[in-house]
Amino acid sequence: MNAPTGEADGAAAALEALRREHDASCPHCTEQIDSITQMVFGEGNPEADLMFIGEAPGEEEDRTGRPFVGRAGKKLDEIIRAMGLSREAVYIANVLKSRPPDNRTPLQPEVDACSPYLVRQMQIIRPKVIVTLGGPATKLMLGTTVGITRLRGQWAEYVDEARGLAIPVMPTFHPAYLLRNYTPETRRQVWSDMQAVLERLGTR
Ligand code: URA
């Protein structure tokens, strides 16, 4: 994993500036302000080698202002620990930074309005590997409409030529899906995806 360097201060400051800009002007989240408790920007190591991207805050995330702290978050924590990593070493964010009503799946106009901030987060962090958790994050990062069941476990790439970015992306099941379908097969699939990630990061 990346050792802390002076560049971390620059990335941390850039993320903080982006957070302030987002909270003041995101066309999606500022419209939700009366129906949410708070926005959930994302958290973790500003220089993380590994970035996890989920869907949107749920009830607990809305209450605490932190990503992945509810039931699905506990499962993600377990996965991160099983990889020999910690939450502090990675960065965790979502496609949407405010909770959709009744936790429904994000709508395309919501994604279009909010996700440019996620893309800018990623451009600041410049992770070596991205793990997309579930359909909405995978669709956004890979610009595809193919379902997660077909894409999971296969390396893809997020390319931004203008910024010199070509980041390997590993799509996997969302931890909430894993919890709903807690079978030996889905557990094996997610674990095999994470092993591929560790291999790519050179940590196993
Ligand atoms: N599900 C998500 O996709 N993100 C969270 O932060 C929590 C649950």
Side-chain angles (χ1 to χ4, degrees):
M1 287 282 131
N2 272 335
T5 68
E7 280 175 28
D9 298 341
L15 285 173
E16 181 51 24
L18 180 62
R19 186 185 66 75
R20 273 190 255 109
E21 182 190 330
H22 168 270
D23 291 1
S25 54
C26 171
H28 168 64
C29 297
T30 51
E31 266 209 8
Q32 307 305 309
I33 205 69
D34 292 335
S35 60
I36 61 172
T37 310
Q38 58 199 312
M39 300 173 201
V40 180
F41 183 70
E43 67 181 24
N45 178 358
E47 286 203 301
D49 284 346
L50 178 57
M51 181 166 178
F52 289 92
I53 303 180
E55 186 172 315
E59 192 176 357
E60 276 296 292
E61 290 77 21
D62 176 71
R63 196 178 61 74
T64 58
R66 300 181 59 210
F68 280 100
V69 290
R71 225 174 135 241
K74 302 271 179 297
K75 183 46 70 185
L76 180 60
D77 285 350
E78 251 177 54
I79 293 169
I80 292 171
R81 270 199 307 275
M83 295 171 81
L85 303 173
S86 66
R87 263 182 95 103
E88 294 70 35
V90 303
Y91 196 92
I92 305 174
N94 283 306
V95 171
L96 292 191
K97 301 193 187 310
S98 43
R99 183 190 184 206
D102 303 321
N103 287 347
R104 63 153 167 68
T105 302
L107 305 174
Q108 193 57 45
E110 296 173 333
V111 174
D112 292 344
C114 193
S115 65
Y117 296 93
L118 169 69
V119 170
R120 285 170 63 192
Q121 265 172 308
M122 200 192 55
Q123 289 164 350
I124 292 168
I125 298 162
R126 300 176 80 93
K128 291 192 180 134
V129 172
I130 290 172
V131 172
T132 51
L133 301 165
T138 303
K139 286 180 179 153
L140 174 72
M141 294 315 293
L142 302 185
T144 178
T145 53
V146 177
I148 183 67
T149 320
R150 281 187 48 204
L151 293 176
R152 73 135 279 280
Q154 293 177 52
W155 284 109
E157 203 170 45
Y158 173 83
V159 180
D160 178 345
E161 276 173 14
R163 288 186 176 74
L165 288 179
I167 305 177
V169 176
M170 172 54 74
T172 196
F173 291 134
H174 192 286
Y177 173 86
L178 180 60
L179 285 170
R180 285 195 308 272
N181 300 273
Y182 206 61
T183 65
E185 178 62 0
T186 48
R187 293 167 68 187
R188 188 198 60 71
Q189 287 171 319
V190 171
W191 186 234
S192 137
D193 301 346
M194 295 309 101
Q195 301 244 307
V197 166
L198 289 173
E199 223 156 76
R200 193 77 172 231
L201 288 169
T203 52
R204 74 174 279 271

